[in-house]
Amino acid sequence: MHAPLLAPSLLAGDHAHLGASARAVENLGLAWLHCDIMDGHFVPNLSFGPETLAALRRTGSKLFFDTHLMLSEPQRYVEAFAKAGANNISIHIEPAYDHAATLAQIKSLGCQCGIVLNPGTPASAIEPFLDQVDLVLVMTVQPGFGGQSFRRDQLPKLAQISSWRRERKLNFRLEVDGGIDLANAAECRASGADTFVAGTSFFKSADQAAFVAAFAKL
Ligand code: DX5
Ligand code: ZN
């Protein structure tokens, strides 16, 4: 099992100063930054695009850009995000497109790839892709907005995917995203998660260094 990894979500950062928000993450010694990309179609909200990632790279950021595409047609955008500096690109299982080909395309662009499932989507939907991915992202809220409440009913799904990983001797990261705080991160960890997206709980924390320190003890 991978060591626990905290991936603050830039969506909860300061949108007038995203460079400063990313820098704060890096200055705390964290390696990953979760970048939420929304198209106003697959999810009812808009966020930012590849030019934002490229601009963050130009500030000198060395963070691992964990890029979560909440898009109806992700295959149209993976190349732009790879060129912009994404390190991992995760795509949802729910829309209809060629998932296997898009995952292969992400890898051919030199990025890691991930598959994502919404709370209403069963684990079985992503099972055929488990040996093809570097990361599985289990949404613990309906995607579209930060600041929602964690859905505990997703824990059995995590445990199921974690047991497949163990049985098949696979090595993908198992990530959770949505309403994550220190308390429920511990529950997710117990169900097999190793990678934890934190938007509101991280950026609104009064003491981010203390949050990171407490997190490392998970
Ligand atoms: C939800 C996004 C999440 C979100 C997490 O659509 O995928 O990454 O920013 O934010 P919090 O931690 O506030 O739920
Ligand atoms: Zn996300």
Side-chain angles (χ1 to χ4, degrees):
M1 192 149 146
H2 298 278
L5 185 71
L6 179 60
S9 169
L10 191 61
L11 189 67
D14 179 349
H15 285 239
H17 304 280
L18 289 176
S21 295
R23 177 65 60 193
V25 171
E26 202 162 1
N27 286 347
L28 285 163
L30 296 172
W32 278 38
L33 183 71
H34 186 79
C35 301
D36 284 307
I37 311 300
M38 304 181 178
D39 66 354
H41 188 259
F42 178 66
V43 291
N45 198 4
L46 298 160
S47 57
F48 38 75
E51 180 49 31
T52 306
L53 272 66
L56 290 171
R57 278 285 175 248
R58 286 197 296 272
T59 70
S61 178
K62 302 274 192 296
L63 289 164
F64 183 98
F65 290 166
D66 172 32
T67 310
H68 175 192
L69 300 186
M70 286 163 271
L71 311 177
S72 293
E73 299 185 278
Q75 75 281 9
R76 291 178 57 187
Y77 299 95
V78 292
E79 187 170 355
F81 280 100
K83 284 188 175 150
N87 299 98
N88 177 81
I89 300 178
S90 294
I91 55 174
H92 273 259
I93 191 70
E94 292 83 9
Y97 59 93
D98 190 337
H99 303 90
T102 306
L103 291 168
Q105 186 191 0
I106 293 168
K107 297 292 284 190
S108 76
L109 289 162
C111 296
Q112 296 185 20
C113 70
I115 193 85
V116 193
L117 64 179
N118 280 342
T121 305
S124 57
I126 58 135
E127 195 183 354
F129 305 97
L130 291 180
D131 61 1
Q132 206 190 337
V133 297
D134 300 291
L135 180 150
V136 172
L137 169 51
V138 172
M139 291 306 301
T140 47
V141 297
Q142 184 64 22
F145 299 91
Q148 303 182 73
S149 296
F150 172 75
R151 284 185 53 165
R152 189 160 281 98
D153 62 351
Q154 298 303 300
L155 292 172
K157 189 192 291 179
L158 267 182
Q160 170 69 79
I161 296 168
S162 175
S163 74
W164 282 334
R165 176 172 61 177
R166 196 170 46 247
E167 287 159 16
R168 299 174 194 186
K169 299 187 173 29
L170 295 170
N171 199 35
F172 56 81
R173 286 195 161 274
L174 186 47
E175 183 175 54
V176 283
D177 180 9
I180 298 296
D181 60 21
L182 283 166
N184 58 43
E187 291 182 74
C188 293
R189 179 85 176 140
S191 294
D194 49 55
T195 306
F196 303 85
V197 176
T200 307
S201 63
F202 175 82
F203 277 104
K204 304 290 184 270
S205 167
D207 185 345
Q208 292 176 341
F211 184 91
V212 171
F215 190 87
K217 298 200 184 92
L218 269 186

mmCIF file of all heavy atoms in Angstrom, residues 9 11 34 36 38 68 70 139 143-147 177-179 197-200, ligand 1:
data_model
loop_
_atom_site.group_PDB
_atom_site.id
_atom_site.type_symbol
_atom_site.label_atom_id
_atom_site.label_comp_id
_atom_site.label_asym_id
_atom_site.label_seq_id
_atom_site.Cartn_x
_atom_site.Cartn_y
_atom_site.Cartn_z
ATOM 1 N N SER A 9 -6.696 20.659 -3.316
ATOM 2 C CA SER A 9 -7.416 21.005 -4.543
ATOM 3 C C SER A 9 -7.383 22.508 -4.768
ATOM 4 O O SER A 9 -7.924 23.283 -3.969
ATOM 5 C CB SER A 9 -8.872 20.535 -4.459
ATOM 6 O OG SER A 9 -9.581 21.095 -5.539
ATOM 7 N N LEU A 11 -9.034 24.227 -6.617
ATOM 8 C CA LEU A 11 -10.376 24.814 -6.739
ATOM 9 C C LEU A 11 -10.734 25.636 -5.504
ATOM 10 O O LEU A 11 -11.474 26.622 -5.602
ATOM 11 C CB LEU A 11 -11.397 23.681 -6.932
ATOM 12 C CG LEU A 11 -12.816 24.079 -7.291
ATOM 13 C CD1 LEU A 11 -12.866 24.705 -8.683
ATOM 14 C CD2 LEU A 11 -13.744 22.860 -7.233
ATOM 15 N N HIS A 34 -3.978 19.024 -6.765
ATOM 16 C CA HIS A 34 -5.129 18.487 -7.499
ATOM 17 C C HIS A 34 -5.777 19.627 -8.282
ATOM 18 O O HIS A 34 -6.148 20.654 -7.712
ATOM 19 C CB HIS A 34 -6.113 17.874 -6.498
ATOM 20 C CG HIS A 34 -7.272 17.163 -7.113
ATOM 21 N ND1 HIS A 34 -7.191 15.888 -7.637
ATOM 22 C CD2 HIS A 34 -8.564 17.551 -7.277
ATOM 23 C CE1 HIS A 34 -8.381 15.520 -8.085
ATOM 24 N NE2 HIS A 34 -9.240 16.509 -7.891
ATOM 25 N N ASP A 36 -8.854 20.667 -10.640
ATOM 26 C CA ASP A 36 -10.214 20.277 -11.033
ATOM 27 C C ASP A 36 -10.641 21.037 -12.271
ATOM 28 O O ASP A 36 -10.764 22.264 -12.239
ATOM 29 C CB ASP A 36 -11.190 20.587 -9.898
ATOM 30 C CG ASP A 36 -11.082 19.575 -8.773
ATOM 31 O OD1 ASP A 36 -11.186 18.376 -9.067
ATOM 32 O OD2 ASP A 36 -10.885 19.997 -7.619
ATOM 33 N N MET A 38 -13.552 21.641 -15.094
ATOM 34 C CA MET A 38 -15.006 21.466 -15.265
ATOM 35 C C MET A 38 -15.464 22.148 -16.558
ATOM 36 O O MET A 38 -14.969 23.220 -16.894
ATOM 37 C CB MET A 38 -15.732 22.100 -14.082
ATOM 38 C CG MET A 38 -15.289 21.557 -12.734
ATOM 39 S SD MET A 38 -16.204 22.330 -11.410
ATOM 40 C CE MET A 38 -15.511 21.450 -9.997
ATOM 41 N N HIS A 68 -7.840 16.393 -12.786
ATOM 42 C CA HIS A 68 -9.124 15.685 -12.732
ATOM 43 C C HIS A 68 -10.053 16.322 -13.747
ATOM 44 O O HIS A 68 -10.582 17.405 -13.522
ATOM 45 C CB HIS A 68 -9.662 15.799 -11.287
ATOM 46 C CG HIS A 68 -11.022 15.239 -11.085
ATOM 47 N ND1 HIS A 68 -11.758 15.474 -9.927
ATOM 48 C CD2 HIS A 68 -11.792 14.436 -11.874
ATOM 49 C CE1 HIS A 68 -12.923 14.846 -10.019
ATOM 50 N NE2 HIS A 68 -12.981 14.230 -11.183
ATOM 51 N N MET A 70 -13.346 16.756 -15.402
ATOM 52 C CA MET A 70 -14.792 16.527 -15.289
ATOM 53 C C MET A 70 -15.427 17.066 -16.572
ATOM 54 O O MET A 70 -16.039 18.135 -16.612
ATOM 55 C CB MET A 70 -15.335 17.243 -14.041
ATOM 56 C CG MET A 70 -14.948 16.533 -12.756
ATOM 57 S SD MET A 70 -15.144 17.563 -11.291
ATOM 58 C CE MET A 70 -13.524 18.325 -11.249
ATOM 59 N N MET A 139 -15.019 9.264 -6.202
ATOM 60 C CA MET A 139 -15.618 10.528 -5.757
ATOM 61 C C MET A 139 -16.446 10.280 -4.495
ATOM 62 O O MET A 139 -17.287 9.373 -4.458
ATOM 63 C CB MET A 139 -16.526 11.115 -6.845
ATOM 64 C CG MET A 139 -15.811 11.638 -8.086
ATOM 65 S SD MET A 139 -14.505 12.834 -7.772
ATOM 66 C CE MET A 139 -15.403 14.133 -6.921
ATOM 67 N N PRO A 143 -19.541 15.320 -8.189
ATOM 68 C CA PRO A 143 -18.594 16.358 -8.577
ATOM 69 C C PRO A 143 -19.278 17.616 -9.114
ATOM 70 O O PRO A 143 -20.389 17.563 -9.621
ATOM 71 C CB PRO A 143 -17.749 15.684 -9.656
ATOM 72 C CG PRO A 143 -18.575 14.562 -10.174
ATOM 73 C CD PRO A 143 -19.423 14.111 -9.022
ATOM 74 N N GLY A 144 -18.573 18.716 -8.991
ATOM 75 C CA GLY A 144 -19.057 20.005 -9.512
ATOM 76 C C GLY A 144 -18.743 21.167 -8.597
ATOM 77 O O GLY A 144 -18.516 22.276 -9.062
ATOM 78 N N PHE A 145 -18.701 20.894 -7.312
ATOM 79 C CA PHE A 145 -18.499 21.992 -6.358
ATOM 80 C C PHE A 145 -17.649 21.522 -5.179
ATOM 81 O O PHE A 145 -17.788 20.383 -4.727
ATOM 82 C CB PHE A 145 -19.842 22.502 -5.828
ATOM 83 C CG PHE A 145 -20.726 23.035 -6.912
ATOM 84 C CD1 PHE A 145 -21.625 22.206 -7.563
ATOM 85 C CD2 PHE A 145 -20.614 24.359 -7.334
ATOM 86 C CE1 PHE A 145 -22.423 22.673 -8.601
ATOM 87 C CE2 PHE A 145 -21.404 24.835 -8.370
ATOM 88 C CZ PHE A 145 -22.316 23.999 -9.002
ATOM 89 N N GLY A 146 -16.818 22.421 -4.690
ATOM 90 C CA GLY A 146 -16.109 22.172 -3.445
ATOM 91 C C GLY A 146 -17.057 22.409 -2.270
ATOM 92 O O GLY A 146 -18.174 22.912 -2.436
ATOM 93 N N GLY A 147 -16.596 22.012 -1.094
ATOM 94 C CA GLY A 147 -17.336 22.351 0.115
ATOM 95 C C GLY A 147 -18.557 21.505 0.412
ATOM 96 O O GLY A 147 -19.369 21.859 1.263
ATOM 97 N N ASP A 177 -11.910 11.974 -3.159
ATOM 98 C CA ASP A 177 -12.057 13.395 -3.495
ATOM 99 C C ASP A 177 -13.486 13.832 -3.175
ATOM 100 O O ASP A 177 -14.440 13.316 -3.761
ATOM 101 C CB ASP A 177 -11.763 13.555 -4.994
ATOM 102 C CG ASP A 177 -11.876 14.987 -5.495
ATOM 103 O OD1 ASP A 177 -12.013 15.915 -4.677
ATOM 104 O OD2 ASP A 177 -11.816 15.159 -6.733
ATOM 105 N N GLY A 178 -13.588 14.797 -2.260
ATOM 106 C CA GLY A 178 -14.885 15.375 -1.952
ATOM 107 C C GLY A 178 -15.188 15.323 -0.468
ATOM 108 O O GLY A 178 -15.386 14.247 0.095
ATOM 109 N N GLY A 179 -15.158 16.495 0.163
ATOM 110 C CA GLY A 179 -15.508 16.581 1.581
ATOM 111 C C GLY A 179 -14.517 15.906 2.512
ATOM 112 O O GLY A 179 -14.863 15.567 3.652
ATOM 113 N N VAL A 197 -7.565 13.999 -1.682
ATOM 114 C CA VAL A 197 -7.780 15.363 -2.163
ATOM 115 C C VAL A 197 -8.442 16.145 -1.033
ATOM 116 O O VAL A 197 -9.402 15.668 -0.430
ATOM 117 C CB VAL A 197 -8.679 15.366 -3.415
ATOM 118 C CG1 VAL A 197 -8.973 16.795 -3.863
ATOM 119 C CG2 VAL A 197 -8.025 14.562 -4.536
ATOM 120 N N ALA A 198 -7.927 17.328 -0.769
ATOM 121 C CA ALA A 198 -8.540 18.169 0.263
ATOM 122 C C ALA A 198 -8.612 19.590 -0.276
ATOM 123 O O ALA A 198 -7.577 20.211 -0.537
ATOM 124 C CB ALA A 198 -7.723 18.124 1.552
ATOM 125 N N GLY A 199 -9.828 20.077 -0.501
ATOM 126 C CA GLY A 199 -10.018 21.442 -0.965
ATOM 127 C C GLY A 199 -10.257 22.360 0.220
ATOM 128 O O GLY A 199 -9.347 22.980 0.758
ATOM 129 N N THR A 200 -11.510 22.400 0.640
ATOM 130 C CA THR A 200 -11.917 23.298 1.713
ATOM 131 C C THR A 200 -11.130 23.051 2.998
ATOM 132 O O THR A 200 -10.654 23.997 3.637
ATOM 133 C CB THR A 200 -13.426 23.119 1.982
ATOM 134 O OG1 THR A 200 -14.116 23.263 0.736
ATOM 135 C CG2 THR A 200 -13.933 24.133 2.975
HETATM 136 C C1 DX5 B 1 -15.457 18.290 -6.720
HETATM 137 C C2 DX5 B 1 -13.967 18.348 -7.001
HETATM 138 C C3 DX5 B 1 -13.166 18.271 -5.762
HETATM 139 C C4 DX5 B 1 -13.351 19.442 -4.842
HETATM 140 C C5 DX5 B 1 -12.967 19.027 -3.477
HETATM 141 O O1 DX5 B 1 -16.118 18.476 -7.912
HETATM 142 O O2 DX5 B 1 -13.585 17.252 -7.816
HETATM 143 O O3 DX5 B 1 -11.785 18.095 -6.032
HETATM 144 O O4 DX5 B 1 -12.604 20.555 -5.207
HETATM 145 O O5 DX5 B 1 -13.258 20.076 -2.610
HETATM 146 P P1 DX5 B 1 -13.666 19.818 -1.106
HETATM 147 O O6 DX5 B 1 -12.496 19.182 -0.444
HETATM 148 O O7 DX5 B 1 -13.981 21.186 -0.599
HETATM 149 O O8 DX5 B 1 -14.868 18.904 -1.132
#
